[in-house]
Amino acid sequence: MTVNTVWQVGATLGEGPVWDAGNACLWFVDIKGRKVHRLDPATGDRRSWDAPAQIGWVLPAEGGCLLAGMQTGLSRFDPESGTFSHLVEVEPNRPGNRLNDATVGPDGTVWFGSMDDAETDATGHVYRWDGATVIQTAIPAVMITNGPALTPDGQKLYHVDTAGGIIHAVPVAPDGSTGTPAEFARIAPADGNPDGPTVDSQGNVWVGLWGGGRARCYAPDGTLRSEVALPASNVTKIALGGPDLKTAYATTARIGLDAQTLEREPLAGSVFSFAVDVAGQEVPLARL
């Protein structure tokens, strides 16, 4: 497997890659660096914007803007002006939490999670946003949520308990309510911690391994389908993009690595790419 370095951006905590099919570009963020980044692979154009708070993700949305998951709640981000407009608070009673990861369902509903920024307490919840209201799901709280990610039909949600090392599969009813989580895959501590998940067009689940220097792909039955080694220990999430949705883009992070490790991993915090054999899903526009 050939792995390419597409942007040596040096992100402190690179996260949230998403392929914007309408504009043929990759969006991602640096949570701790408070940055939004945009990459056009065809032209090599790179742009970055400052965010006013820790930012977990951005998602292409209706009207040409992006929906941003901030520590302060949900905001509308306008890349033309570089401005953020606050929409709604999510957890006003949990000031130590921040938003961490998200996806868009087939109908434009946004599913996202929160986490304890200090990584000590199980205060991370999963929510959905229908364009007007934030609704907390029945998924039990964990310290660090990652995902969710949805199957192509939107009837199953994958939720990652990063600290617990478990990827859960959760049924989703037509009304958006969630059922009982079942263990989908468990990651051995020696292999790292599961981070952000992504589901391809055939229902396979890609996940980055924090501390494991790998991206893994699991078949819909939970068996390991493939694994790709990357030149950075902290692999955060995979996005499937490109003209045919068969290019995987991996974000990584420098945070938590000591000086010796950073010397061995000069590309830590970069975005990498590699080819895959199954296309991803086109991400619908988020509701605003």
Side-chain angles (χ1 to χ4, degrees):
M1 180 70 69
T2 301
V3 175
N4 303 300
T5 305
V6 296
W7 191 348
Q8 196 171 340
V9 66
T12 302
L13 182 49
E15 257 289 8
V18 60
W19 181 254
D20 182 345
N23 294 295
C25 67
L26 182 78
W27 294 93
F28 65 102
V29 301
D30 181 348
I31 297 176
K32 296 298 183 181
R34 300 187 178 190
K35 293 281 189 181
V36 177
H37 298 295
R38 180 185 185 274
L39 170 68
D40 183 333
T43 65
D45 181 62
R46 302 168 180 179
R47 294 193 63 191
S48 301
W49 296 260
D50 292 323
Q54 291 190 91
I55 179 166
W57 45 267
V58 291
L59 294 168
E62 298 168 339
C65 290
L66 290 95
L67 183 66
M70 316 285 291
Q71 185 160 19
T72 50
L74 301 182
S75 293
R76 182 197 306 264
F77 170 57
D78 180 359
E80 291 298 319
S81 63
T83 57
F84 290 80
S85 303
H86 181 73
L87 294 173
V88 63
E89 288 185 284
V90 175
E91 295 179 326
N93 298 324
R94 300 188 183 102
N97 273 15
R98 62 172 175 83
L99 303 189
N100 192 51
D101 198 5
T103 194
V104 186
D107 62 352
T109 296
V110 177
W111 298 77
F112 64 95
S114 65
M115 62 170 282
D116 176 20
D117 196 32
E119 301 182 14
T120 57
D121 298 323
T123 57
H125 294 266
V126 177
Y127 300 87
R128 57 188 175 92
W129 159 262
D130 61 6
T133 306
V134 174
I135 302 158
Q136 183 173 317
T137 71
I139 296 172
V142 297
M143 183 191 302
I144 303 171
T145 66
N146 263 294
L150 291 163
T151 52
D153 61 10
Q155 295 180 14
K156 185 185 294 183
L157 175 151
Y158 292 99
H159 164 252
V160 178
D161 174 1
T162 295
I166 302 173
I167 304 172
H168 294 285
V170 185
V172 179
D175 64 359
S177 60
T178 53
T180 302
E183 184 175 314
F184 171 73
R186 183 180 292 266
I187 312 299
D191 294 335
N193 290 87
D195 207 301
T198 300
V199 181
D200 69 20
S201 58
Q202 293 184 6
N204 302 304
V205 182
W206 282 93
V207 65
L209 295 185
W210 180 275
R214 298 282 193 279
R216 280 185 175 174
C217 181
Y218 289 89
D221 63 0
T223 58
L224 183 60
R225 186 173 183 270
S226 61
E227 183 177 84
V228 179
L230 296 164
S233 294
N234 295 333
V235 182
T236 53
K237 190 171 183 176
I238 306 299
L240 300 174
D244 57 1
L245 300 180
K246 287 188 174 181
T247 300
Y249 293 95
T251 48
T252 64
R254 296 172 62 84
I255 193 170
L257 302 179
D258 59 28
Q260 289 182 331
T261 303
L262 288 171
E263 188 174 350
R264 292 194 304 269
E265 298 180 13
L267 296 177
S270 298
V271 179
F272 303 97
S273 70
F274 54 90
V276 297
D277 60 346
V278 177
Q281 304 181 63
E282 188 169 318
V283 179
L285 294 178
R287 287 184 182 180
L288 276 179

